[in-house]
Amino acid sequence: MTGNTDKLSKLLADKAEMKLLHMVTSSPARTPTLTMFGDENYFFANANGGACVNQSDCIFVGPNFAWNHGDFQRDITRTWFAMVGPGVQRLGRNDAVFSDHTDVRPTMLALLGLKDSYIHDGRVLSEWLARTALPSGIRQGRENFVELAEVYKQLNAPLGELGRASMVYANRSITDVDTAYARYLSKISDITNQRNSLANDIKTVLDAAAFGNRPVDERAEDGLGHRARALIDQVKDLAERDHRAENHDQHRGHRVEN
């Protein structure tokens, strides 16, 4: 169609990386060996039951189809979320807050003055709420709450800084030699365990502020926030280190192909 040869696979995630990205469920049948994140210009699906007789049967233009979910690219994964009603600030379009689906429920409950019997994976989007509508635990320490909530999302959300960096690290390791992949498996497991433990600690503090009237104090924000930022930086360094190694190999003429 274009005369170009496109590489369809952008990033690969194995089961270890999918676990970090919250993609592993309690059903083994729903956990593939590998997940391919593809070129954002393509939508992947089984054609004719998976059997392609001619190339045209497998690749075609669907002009009435909007490819707007899944994958990792911003133009696919970024979507809108609208809030209106008592207690919601009239901000118009606001792109300053990074959030995802898990934040919707706790935010709604906070506005309604309700609470759950469990701790949420998301957090109250206090930046969009009027001060008078905030739960007292957030209102009394709003700055500390927001700062800790922001780093929490970058730590725990699949599309946060840690998640995105880990995908680069995972892809490079999966397509490398066996020894590099073995080192990666040990490292990514340790990172996932650290992330899970730290995320549980942070979301417990955030939930207590939103629904238990226990404000986030500066010591908690500094301590937990510092640990979260350190882990994020560690994973970003691993991803960048692999990128530098790949560029070095290409410069020497030893390009590694998938």
Side-chain angles (χ1 to χ4, degrees), residues 174-215:
I174 292 166
T175 58
D176 208 330
V177 296
D178 290 349
T179 53
Y181 182 63
R183 289 194 300 269
Y184 149 80
L185 285 177
S186 176
K187 193 69 176 177
I188 202 71
S189 176
D190 181 58
I191 289 170
T192 301
N193 290 334
Q194 289 186 60
R195 192 282 310 276
N196 289 346
S197 176
L198 183 53
N200 283 333
D201 290 343
I202 295 177
K203 71 182 183 182
T204 298
V205 171
L206 295 176
D207 211 72
F211 304 106
N213 195 27
R214 294 195 294 274

Side-chain angles (χ1 to χ4, degrees), residues 19 38 67 70-71 91 94 97 99 118 121 124 172 231 237 250:
K19 185 176 181 181
W67 172 213
D71 250 308
L91 300 176
N94 187 296
V97 179
S99 66
Y118 58 87
D121 287 325
V124 175
R172 185 69 178 91
L231 187 58
D237 183 63
Q250 290 180 19

